[in-house]
Amino acid sequence: MDKKAPGYRSATEYRFREDQIDAIVRTAAYHRKDYPRSAIWFPPHEHDGIRGSMTTSFWRTSDAGLGSLDRLPLELLHDVLLRLDMHSIFKFRQTNLGSRRLVNSLKQYQLVASHGLDLFCALLRTKLTLRVSLSDFYDTLCTKDCWLCHKFGSFISLLTWDRCCFSCVKYSRNNQVHTRAAVQKKLGLTKAQVDQLSSLKSLPGAYTLYETVLKSRVTLVPAHLAILASGQPYDLANELLGLLRVEKHKFNFMGSCALPYYNRRAGRVEHGLSCAGCQLATEKKIISSSDRDMEYAQDDFLEHFRWCEQAQLLWRSSGEGNHVPSELSAAVRRGGWFKD
């Protein structure tokens, strides 16, 4: 933990027992529900009709085979399926009962379908499933850190298929997204140059923590690649596109979707933990909001907790996990800043 104002970093390392870990996480950490909802997001009830069918096989049997694929050794067949793009996996699984059972038998598919359903739906609706293989999806699910700052990353950029943290989605030049029309006009790109850029058609929804509602669909492209294609100095191109303006950040979130992290070593799924103590420190004006906004995997949060004085204060005031601490912020109780 970096050196901060008094009241943030404890003078000595706090030591705790292993049997206290669950209580510490429950008391001093929380998941920010507003983070995933600031990007492409689907209400959970939209998945109710398909969630079970995505991972289970039918009870009935069938004599229908897989044709020439039946001649392949199972290990080789599994390897082929892992290399298929998500669109092909989805279609192959619908071929017959045998293909459904075969795809369902893959551990990688089970984890992706169980924990990456929002992202899979985002790929389907933006017609990007051809660009991502099952192996790519699984590897990304098992990747913890933002590729830019190496902190916990809970978002995936659909245009570059990189895992990013909230701050890097919002601010990093490598994650800036803009409309195809604006990029072509303001950077003077030819149609051929623009056609070389990866693109997606945005989905209607509410984006950013300001819940900006956007109903019309626009074509988005990665701005940093467009700038490279234009050959213009980055600062000049950045000014032309207005990438630093707050109202332009919505495009970055329109091209991103949340994805949890699957911890293979521990065998658990992690959605990212925020520190309730840091939220308290922000409200006390001990630290800035940018210091508060970091997310952690569980093991990393516990290391943070050892030195976070305000998190330790909440832990002690809770009777070491026996009741809700009196100073717990309303934002923490709510899981972020969204209204519901």
Side-chain angles (χ1 to χ4, degrees), residues 14 24 27 54-55 58 65 116-117 186 198 204 228-230 243 314:
Y14 187 92
I24 288 172
T27 303
M54 288 289 292
T55 56
F58 296 124
L117 201 48
K186 295 184 178 182
S198 57
L228 287 175
S230 74
L243 295 179
L314 292 174

Side-chain angles (χ1 to χ4, degrees), residues 178-195 197 219 221 223 226-227 230 232 240-241:
H178 213 307
T179 65
R180 175 187 168 118
V183 161
Q184 185 169 4
K185 179 180 179 181
K186 295 184 178 182
L187 297 183
L189 296 180
T190 65
K191 183 179 183 300
Q193 287 176 309
V194 175
D195 287 343
L197 300 173
T219 302
V221 297
I227 292 171
S230 74
Q232 297 193 39
L240 289 171
L241 293 174

